[in-house]
C-alpha cells in the first residue's frame, strides 16, 4: 500500500461548505471525498489544490452496494477506479451495506443480514470490486437503527470473517460502532478485541445525538464523549491509525471544527499514554496552542 | 481571380470582393485583438511580496461598483444596514463597528445623514473613495493608465475602420457602375459595429492585472466553494474577499438578508442607475439556512438518521 498519512494523523471529510476552513486547519493531513459527488473529469479545484499540496485524498464510495444481491456495477467501479488513479490515492473505501435491490434505491446505507449466505455474497462482491480497483479497498462498518432477524453471527464475527477472507482493509467507524453498541446494548470494547486491528486503514469519527431512545449518528453534531472514549481505547490497543472527522450538515465555524479536531487529538494522546507509548511514536497533531 | 485583378481589388467582381473583404476583416479583427492585448502592458504578474491587495482593492480590479457592493454587503452581513429589494434603498439599522474598513465607513457616512439612497446613489457618492482604491493596483501595474486606455481603444477601432473605409470605397464604385451594393453595405455596417465594440469596451486591467486576478481566483477557489454553499461560515476579511473577488452574487441561496441585497444589486445593475422602484425579482428575506449539498451524496449512515 502506498504511504499514507502517518499514524494518528487527522483528516476531515471534504465538503464544499468546509473548503475554506480546511485550507486553514494546519492539523489536517488528509481528506476524504464522496466519490459520487465528483467527476474525475471535473475535480473541484480546491480538492485538486489540496492534492497538489501533498494532502492525501481518499475517494469514499457510497453507492456500490457491496452487500446487495446484485453484482457491483462496473460503471460505478470504473468511476471509483478513475478517481483513485487521478488522485493517486493509497486506497478507496466503501461500506459493508446495501443501497439498492431490484433496481430500487434505498437512499440510505442499510445493514446486511448477518447470515452465512449474505456473507458469501458480500465476499464475492468485494472480491469482484477488488479485482476492478487499482488500489486496495477499505470496508466500513455502518450504523444501523434496526437489525435483521435470524442473525447467525454478531457484527464483530461477520466483519472479522469478511476481512479475513477478502484481505480487504478496514475503515473502522468508531461512531458507528459506538452507536450500534449503545443502541443494541452490546460491548464495544469486546468488538475491538475481536476484529483485526492491524487491518485498519483509517478511522471515521463523527457526531450524533440521542433522540427517541436511540443514538443517531447524524454527522451534524458534536462528537459524543463515548465515541471519543472508544477512540482512546482503540489507541490504547494499537498504534493510532489516521483518523477522519466526518461532518455533513449544520456545518460549524472554523473554531468549532478545530476544537473537534483537538478533541480527537487529545483522545489519541490519552490512548497512547495508557499504552505507554510516547507521542513521538506517532504523529499526533494538536491544534493551535 | 487572377494576379492582375488583385493588383486593383476595386475591379474585382462582387462575390470575389466580398470574399476578399471578409478575409481582410478577419485579419484586421485578429490584428486589433493582438494590438489591444499588447498595448495593455505590463504582462508579467507582479511579485506582491507581502503587499497583497485588500478585499476592496481587489474588488476594484473587477469594476468601479464592485468595492461599494462588497462594502454594502459587509454592512448588511453585520446588520448595520438593510437593503429593500423592492425599492433598492438602503437603511441604517445600527451603529458602525469600530474596526470597519474606511470604505465601509464611507458607505455608512453616506447614509448617516438621514437620507435613504439607493445603491446607485451610494456608488456615485463614493466615486472619490473608490478611485483611491486604485492607487496601489496602479502602482503595481495591474490597471492600465488613462493613456494606455485611450490608445487601446482607438488603435484597434481605427484598424477596423480602415477596413470599413475599404468597403465604402467599393460601394461608391459600385454605385457609379450601377452594381448591387446592398450586401457589402450590410458588411460595412457590421464592420462599423465591430469598430464601435472595440472603441466602447474599455479595457481595465493590464496583462499583468489579468494574470493576477485569474491566479487569485484560482488560489481562492476554496473560499468561493464555501461562499457558494455556506457563506455564514465566512466572516470579516474572508467574506469581504469573497464578495469583492467573486461578486455579492457568489453568496449561496437562502442566505438571509443577503438575498434582498442580491436582488437589489441585480435590479440596480439592470436599470443602469435608475433610482425608481426596482423590480421585485428578489425573493425577499429568507431565514432558511443553506441546504447542504453533501448530504444526498455523503455521510456514512449519517444522512437520514
Amino acid at each position: 500500500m502506498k504511504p499514507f498519512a502517518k499514524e494518528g494523523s487527522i483528516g476531515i471529510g471534504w465538503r464544499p461548505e468546509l473548503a475554506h476552513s480546511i485550507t486553514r486547519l494546519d492539523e489536517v493531513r488528509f481528506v476524504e471525498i464522496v466519490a459520487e459527488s465528483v467527476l474525475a473529469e471535473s475535480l473541484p479545484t480546491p480538492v485538486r489544490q489540496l492534492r497538489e499540496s501533498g494532502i492525501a485524498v481518499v475517494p469514499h464510495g457510497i453507492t456500490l452496494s457491496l452487500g446487495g444481491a446484485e453484482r457491483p456495477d462496473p460503471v460505478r467501479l470504473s468511476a471509483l477506479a478513475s478517481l483513485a488513479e487521478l488522485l493517486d490515492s493509497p486506497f478507496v473505501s466503501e461500506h459493508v451495506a446495501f443501497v439498492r435491490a431490484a433496481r430500487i434505491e434505498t437512499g440510505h446505507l442499510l445493514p446486511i443480514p448477518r447470515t452465512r449466505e449474505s456473507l458469501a455474497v458480500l465476499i464475492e462482491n468485494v472480491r469482484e470490486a477488488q479485482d476492478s480497483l487499482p488500489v486496495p479497498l477499505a470496508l466500513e462498518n455502518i450504523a444501523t437503527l434496526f437489525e435483521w432477524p435470524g442473525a447467525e453471527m454478531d457484527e464483530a464475527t461477520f466483519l472479522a470473517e469478511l476481512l479475513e477472507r477478502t484481505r480487504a482493509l478496514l475503515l473502522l467507524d468508531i461512531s458507528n460502532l459506538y452507536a450500534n453498541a449503545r443502541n443494541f446494548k452490546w460491548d464495544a470494547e469486546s468488538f475491538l478485541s475481536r476484529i483485526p486491528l492491524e487491518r485498519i486503514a483509517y478511522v471515521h469519527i463523527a457526531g450524533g445525538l440521542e433522540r427517541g431512545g436511540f443514538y443517531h449518528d447524524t454527522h451534524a453534531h458534536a462528537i459524543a464523549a463515548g465515541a471519543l472514549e472508544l477512540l482512546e481505547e482503540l489507541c490504547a490497543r494499537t498504534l493510532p491509525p489516521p483518523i477522519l472527522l466526518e461532518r455533513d450538515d449544520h456545518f460549524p465555524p472554523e473554531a468549532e471544527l478545530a476544537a473537534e479536531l483537538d478533541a480527537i487529538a487529545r483522545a489519541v494522546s490519552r490512548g497512547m499514554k495508557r499504552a505507554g507509548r510516547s507521542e513521538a511514536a506517532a504523529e499526533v497533531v494538536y491544534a493551535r496552542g | 481571380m487572377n494576379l492582375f485583378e488583385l493588383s486593383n481589388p476595386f475591379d474585382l467582381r462582387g462575390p470575389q470582393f466580398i470574399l476578399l473583404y471578409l478575409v481582410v476583416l478577419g485579419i484586421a479583427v485578429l490584428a486589433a485583438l493582438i494590438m489591444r492585448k499588447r498595448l495593455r502592458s505590463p504582462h508579467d504578474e507582479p511579485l506582491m511580496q507581502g503587499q497583497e491587495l485588500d478585499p476592496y482593492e481587489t474588488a476594484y480590479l473587477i469594476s468601479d461598483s464592485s468595492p461599494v457592493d462588497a462594502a454594502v454587503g459587509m454592512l448588511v452581513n453585520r446588520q448595520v444596514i438593510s437593503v429593500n429589494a423592492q425599492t433598492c434603498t438602503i437603511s441604517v439599522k445600527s451603529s458602525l463597528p469600530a474596526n470597519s474598513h474606511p470604505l465601509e465607513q464611507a458607505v455608512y457616512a453616506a447614509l448617516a445623514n438621514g437620507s435613504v439612497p439607493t445603491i446607485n446613489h451610494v456608488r456615485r457618492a463614493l466615486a472619490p473613495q473608490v478611485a483611491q482604491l486604485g492607487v496601489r493596483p496602479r502602482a503595481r501595474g495591474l490597471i492600465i493608465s488613462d493613456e494606455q486606455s485611450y490608445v487601446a481603444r482607438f488603435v484597434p477601432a481605427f484598424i477596423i475602420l480602415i477596413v470599413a473605409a475599404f468597403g465604402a470605397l467599393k460601394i461608391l464604385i459600385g454605385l457609379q457602375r450601377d452594381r448591387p451594393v446592398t450586401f457589402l453595405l450590410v458588411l460595412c455596417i457590421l464592420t462599423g459595429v465591430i469598430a464601435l465594440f472595440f472603441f466602447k469596451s474599455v479595457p481595465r486591467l493590464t496583462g499583468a492585472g489579468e494574470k493576477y486576478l485569474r491566479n487569485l481566483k484560482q488560489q481562492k477557489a476554496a473560499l468561493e466553494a464555501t461562499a457558494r454553499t455556506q457563506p455564514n461560515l465566512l466572516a470579516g476579511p474572508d467574506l469581504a474577499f469573497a464578495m469583492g473577488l467573486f461578486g455579492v452574487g457568489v453568496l449561496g441561496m437562502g442566505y438571509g438578508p443577503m438575498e434582498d441585497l442580491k436582488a437589489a444589486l441585480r435590479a440596480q445593475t439592470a436599470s443602469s442607475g435608475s433610482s425608481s422602484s426596482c423590480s421585485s425579482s428578489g425573493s425577499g428575506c429568507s431565514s432558511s439556512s443553506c441546504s447542504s449539498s453533501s448530504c444526498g451524496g455523503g455521510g456514512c449512515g449519517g444522512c437520514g438518521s
Side-chain angles (χ1 to χ4, degrees):
Chain A
M1 191 169 75
K2 290 177 195 166
F4 182 38
K6 290 184 183 175
E7 290 82 7
S9 292
I10 292 176
I12 191 165
W14 191 88
R15 305 286 183 268
E17 292 86 347
L18 299 176
H20 184 57
S21 295
I22 288 172
T23 63
R24 292 155 58 90
L25 290 167
D26 294 334
E27 52 268 69
V28 170
R29 292 291 188 265
F30 70 105
V31 298
E32 180 192 81
I33 54 169
V34 175
E36 288 80 353
S37 69
V38 301
L39 292 173
E41 307 83 52
S42 58
L43 203 60
T45 303
V47 174
R48 181 175 47 77
Q49 290 170 338
L50 284 171
R51 187 68 200 99
E52 288 169 357
S53 71
I55 300 278
V57 182
V58 178
H60 182 60
I62 57 172
T63 62
L64 262 189
S65 197
L66 292 170
E70 294 143 349
R71 297 287 190 192
D73 181 358
V75 173
R76 295 175 199 271
L77 277 172
S78 175
L80 196 53
S82 296
L83 261 185
E85 284 172 338
L86 178 69
L87 295 165
D88 197 27
S89 305
F91 44 74
V92 300
S93 53
E94 249 286 2
H95 300 83
V96 180
F98 74 100
V99 299
R100 70 181 62 83
R103 298 187 181 178
I104 298 171
E105 299 288 329
T106 65
H108 197 73
L109 297 163
L110 292 180
I112 303 167
R114 289 197 298 272
T115 63
R116 290 253 154 239
E117 188 178 10
S118 295
L119 180 58
V121 172
L122 173 61
I123 288 170
E124 267 190 57
N125 286 344
V126 169
R127 286 177 178 158
E128 187 164 323
Q130 287 172 315
D131 289 343
S132 299
L133 293 168
V135 293
L137 172 64
L139 299 172
E140 180 185 347
N141 55 306
I142 67 166
T144 177
L145 296 179
F146 73 94
E147 293 207 309
W148 295 103
E152 296 170 7
M153 62 192 88
D154 63 15
E155 189 175 349
T157 305
F158 189 87
L159 196 58
E161 190 162 338
L162 169 66
L163 295 172
E164 171 63 30
R165 291 171 63 181
T166 59
R167 308 307 295 165
L169 299 174
L170 174 62
L171 163 49
L172 179 63
D173 193 308
I174 283 286
S175 299
N176 290 347
L177 169 59
Y178 173 73
N180 289 348
R182 183 168 163 159
N183 291 334
F184 298 103
K185 298 177 176 38
W186 42 264
D187 183 12
E189 290 188 17
S190 167
F191 180 101
L192 290 178
S193 300
R194 295 164 55 213
I195 58 167
L197 300 181
E198 71 280 3
R199 298 210 65 78
I200 296 176
Y202 66 114
V203 165
H204 270 177
I205 193 164
L209 54 71
E210 182 95 17
R211 188 171 57 209
F214 268 90
Y215 179 82
H216 295 260
D217 177 48
T218 61
H219 296 195
H221 299 87
I223 303 172
L228 287 169
E229 286 165 12
L230 208 49
L231 177 64
E232 177 186 331
E233 179 64 32
L234 174 70
C235 295
R237 295 177 181 228
T238 185
L239 205 58
I243 301 145
L244 186 117
L245 172 65
E246 293 184 286
R247 189 72 181 233
D248 297 330
D249 207 343
H250 297 304
F251 298 98
E254 186 180 317
E256 195 176 315
L257 209 57
E260 292 264 272
L261 297 179
D262 280 352
I264 293 169
R266 282 196 296 274
V268 171
S269 183
R270 288 195 300 271
M272 291 179 65
K273 279 184 186 163
R274 280 173 47 192
R277 286 190 208 98
S278 69
E279 290 186 13
E283 182 183 344
V284 180
V285 181
Y286 285 96
R288 297 163 283 277
Chain B
M1 191 185 312
N2 55 47
L3 286 175
F4 177 76
E5 286 176 320
L6 270 180
S7 66
N8 186 1
F10 293 109
D11 285 334
L12 286 173
R13 287 182 284 281
Q16 291 165 333
F17 184 85
I18 296 285
L19 182 61
L20 177 65
Y21 184 90
L22 287 172
V23 169
V24 171
L25 178 60
I27 294 170
V29 168
L30 190 61
L33 287 169
I34 293 171
M35 181 73 64
R36 191 172 150 113
K37 189 166 181 176
R38 284 183 171 261
L39 287 168
R40 289 160 51 221
S41 60
H43 298 286
D44 293 329
E45 188 179 350
L47 293 171
M48 301 307 277
Q49 291 177 325
Q51 295 186 9
E52 284 79 15
L53 304 179
D54 75 21
Y56 297 113
E57 289 171 324
T58 303
Y60 185 79
L61 298 178
I62 312 289
S63 70
D64 281 355
S65 61
S66 295
V68 175
D69 296 352
V72 169
M74 286 299 290
L75 295 181
V76 168
N77 182 60
R78 289 170 165 178
Q79 300 182 27
V80 174
I81 63 176
S82 64
V83 176
N84 185 304
Q86 274 68 50
T87 60
C88 306
T89 51
I90 308 174
S91 306
V92 175
K93 288 177 66 178
S94 68
S95 56
L96 191 67
N99 60 348
S100 299
H101 186 279
L103 188 66
E104 294 165 15
Q105 293 172 21
V107 169
Y108 188 82
L111 302 168
N113 62 6
S115 64
V116 187
T118 65
I119 292 171
N120 273 339
H121 286 140
V122 175
R123 285 170 175 170
R124 284 193 292 269
L126 263 57
Q129 289 87 347
V130 169
Q132 278 299 302
L133 292 172
V135 169
R136 289 210 306 159
R138 280 198 171 82
R140 280 158 182 72
L142 302 178
I143 297 179
I144 67 171
S145 64
D146 291 340
E147 294 77 18
Q148 277 180 303
S149 176
Y150 181 86
V151 174
R153 290 166 63 200
F154 273 97
V155 171
F158 184 69
I159 292 173
I160 305 297
L161 282 176
I162 290 175
V163 179
F166 176 59
L169 273 176
K170 180 64 175 173
I171 289 173
L172 287 174
I173 294 168
L175 285 171
Q176 282 176 353
R177 296 177 181 174
D178 204 22
R179 308 297 298 170
V181 296
T182 308
F183 193 72
L184 184 56
L185 181 63
V186 169
L187 275 183
C188 285
I189 292 171
L190 182 66
T191 306
V193 169
I194 295 172
L196 191 64
F197 165 78
F198 274 98
F199 181 75
K200 294 282 278 182
S201 63
V202 182
R204 190 177 184 85
L205 303 179
T206 60
E210 278 194 351
K211 276 183 192 167
Y212 175 81
L213 196 60
R214 189 169 54 240
N215 289 339
L216 187 60
K217 285 184 175 180
Q218 274 281 308
Q219 287 168 26
K220 300 289 184 186
L223 178 67
E224 183 185 6
T226 298
R228 288 192 184 281
T229 53
Q230 199 79 24
N232 58 304
L233 291 182
L234 301 177
D238 289 338
L239 185 61
F241 236 119
M243 289 191 287
L245 190 56
F246 301 107
V248 176
V250 75
L251 300 182
M253 287 296 294
Y255 181 45
M258 285 301 197
E259 283 306 299
D260 285 343
L261 172 61
K262 284 158 63 177
L265 286 173
R266 280 194 298 269
Q268 289 273 260
T269 302
S271 66
S272 299
S274 166
S275 61
S276 59
S277 63
C278 302
S279 70
S280 57
S281 57
S283 59
C285 287
S286 169
S287 59
S288 62
S289 60
C290 290
S291 61
S292 165
S293 60
S294 65
C295 199
C300 308
C303 296
S305 296

